[in-house]
Amino acid sequence: MCILTVESIAEKVIYLLLYHPVLFMFAWAYWQTIFTRNGPVPKEFYLSPAEADQLERETSEDRQREMLKQFARNLPILNRTMSGCPRYCEKCRCIKPDRCHHCSVCSRCVLKMDHHCPWVNNCVGFSNYKFFVQFLGYALLYCLYVAITSLKYFIDFWKGGAGNGMGKFHLLFLFFVSIMFGISLISLFGYHLYLTCKNRSTLEAFRAPIFQSGPDKEGFSLGRGGNFQEVFGDQVKVWFLPIYSSMGDGVTYPTRTVDLDSDNLLGQRQRWMEEGEEEMNPTGNFQTASSQLHLVSYTDD
């Protein structure tokens, strides 16, 4: 548009100076969403080959349930199946951490899985959910910027005064494509902002996580501010940058209620902090478990 249609040099400079920062942030967030590896399920959650074989050979459902409870007795989990049993992945042969689900496309369990996104060819989960929301936000901003800056020349085109030949085609393409993608992104970005403020994944929005006390869509909600900080971090300066700043370790999460298993969860957290196990966060930096855990259970008054 600036090459073929805009005549004013000053206008060209202003358009391009504003355009490229938006493009850069959009591309940066997109890159981070695609190439950020979702962290693996800790080895403590995996059954040994002998334990997995023993579980698979068992024919009694009651006996399988007791075996899973025994295997998970020292694990920091609150989520259960409808029968009250720890969630188990038959393909990965592991006890699923809270909010973890198996992705059939990636063929592995993903921490705090939201969905598998074909647009980024990656699972959206704990490690890259912040980047995904930013990608949607900057993509929307990009589309709105293109639509607003091309609107003037699009109107001139219909009046017969803007561009000629290929320039007219560019104006039509710019305006209509930016508007179509912008309309789609408004609803998608708004929906994921809603999920962020509610502290839910897309899967949890359709099927509430089950605690010992029963299904509860609000089980992980810490209030709008706490929910937002869990995804974007507690430092305002990095909220708008595609830099990893999410709180927690992706395995255990603070809850608004105390489950029957909360003593077991808190005890396991304490043991992890005392042992000071080193774990790698998604950015590749090593931190102690105690520095990564922002894990306090909340109760209602």
Side-chain angles (χ1 to χ4, degrees):
M1 187 182 77
C2 286
I3 294 174
L4 299 174
T5 305
V6 180
E7 297 180 355
S8 169
I9 299 297
E11 194 172 348
K12 289 181 180 182
V13 171
I14 293 173
Y15 280 169
L16 293 176
L17 284 178
L18 294 176
Y19 169 80
H20 284 93
V22 177
L23 173 64
F24 174 77
M25 296 302 295
F26 162 65
W28 186 9
Y30 190 39
W31 176 278
Q32 289 286 70
T33 306
I34 295 174
F35 293 105
T36 298
R37 182 178 65 89
N38 280 291
V41 174
K43 62 181 184 299
E44 292 83 3
F45 288 80
Y46 285 88
L47 274 62
S48 67
E51 291 173 334
D53 290 339
Q54 180 185 1
L55 180 66
E56 292 171 2
R57 287 195 302 266
E58 184 58 55
T59 58
S60 171
E61 292 185 3
D62 290 337
R63 176 58 183 158
Q64 285 181 334
R65 189 179 300 111
E66 292 303 319
M67 291 172 65
L68 285 174
K69 288 181 179 179
Q70 181 67 16
F71 295 149
R73 67 187 183 279
N74 292 324
L75 296 177
I77 57 173
L78 293 177
N79 288 166
R80 295 289 188 268
T81 63
M82 287 297 294
S83 63
C85 182
R87 300 181 310 130
Y88 176 71
C89 179
E90 296 180 352
K91 295 180 179 179
C92 295
R93 303 180 117 186
C94 70
I95 305 293
K96 293 180 183 179
D98 291 346
R99 315 185 80 176
C100 175
H101 297 274
H102 185 87
C103 176
S104 58
V105 180
C106 297
S107 298
R108 61 189 179 90
C109 285
V110 178
L111 299 177
K112 195 187 176 184
M113 180 179 174
D114 187 89
H115 69 288
H116 185 91
C117 181
W119 290 92
V120 300
N121 193 33
N122 193 8
C123 254
V124 177
F126 172 78
S127 301
N128 63 351
Y129 187 69
K130 173 190 174 183
F131 305 141
F132 178 73
V133 176
Q134 289 177 324
F135 157 61
L136 296 179
Y138 285 121
L140 175 59
L141 181 61
Y142 180 88
C143 290
L144 291 177
Y145 180 80
V146 171
I148 292 171
T149 53
S150 62
L151 176 61
K152 168 187 173 182
Y153 300 97
F154 178 76
I155 294 174
D156 288 345
F157 163 76
W158 287 109
K159 292 180 178 180
N164 53 66
M166 190 60 68
K168 292 184 177 181
F169 172 77
H170 285 165
L171 283 174
L172 288 173
F173 182 83
L174 277 174
F175 187 77
F176 279 118
V177 172
S178 61
I179 286 294
M180 288 189 295
F181 274 95
I183 291 173
S184 300
L185 286 165
I186 285 175
S187 58
L188 190 57
F189 179 56
Y191 179 64
H192 279 280
L193 280 182
Y194 167 79
L195 292 180
T196 298
C197 292
K198 290 290 186 179
N199 205 338
R200 298 176 193 165
S201 66
T202 299
L203 293 175
E204 291 168 348
F206 285 97
R207 185 173 60 185
I210 301 173
F211 296 85
Q212 195 77 358
S213 56
D216 185 2
K217 277 191 176 183
E218 303 293 334
F220 293 108
S221 179
L222 308 175
R224 186 175 300 174
N227 295 338
F228 184 87
Q229 288 187 9
E230 189 169 291
V231 174
F232 285 84
D234 55 2
Q235 299 183 40
V236 179
K237 62 183 179 182
V238 297
W239 281 358
F240 300 100
L241 297 177
I243 298 173
Y244 179 80
S245 60
S246 298
M247 300 175 70
D249 60 356
V251 178
T252 49
Y253 298 87
T255 59
R256 72 181 183 91
T257 58
V258 175
D259 270 66
L260 296 178
D261 284 345
S262 60
D263 290 340
N264 172 52
L265 178 66
L266 292 172
Q268 181 65 17
R269 291 173 183 166
Q270 185 63 31
R271 285 194 292 273
W272 281 6
M273 288 189 288
E274 290 176 352
E275 292 170 1
E277 294 180 349
E278 286 189 339
E279 302 203 4
M280 179 178 285
N281 66 21
T283 61
N285 299 321
F286 285 93
Q287 298 178 349
T288 61
S290 59
S291 66
Q292 287 192 356
L293 296 178
H294 301 266
L295 305 168
V296 179
S297 292
Y298 294 85
T299 57
D300 292 327
D301 291 335

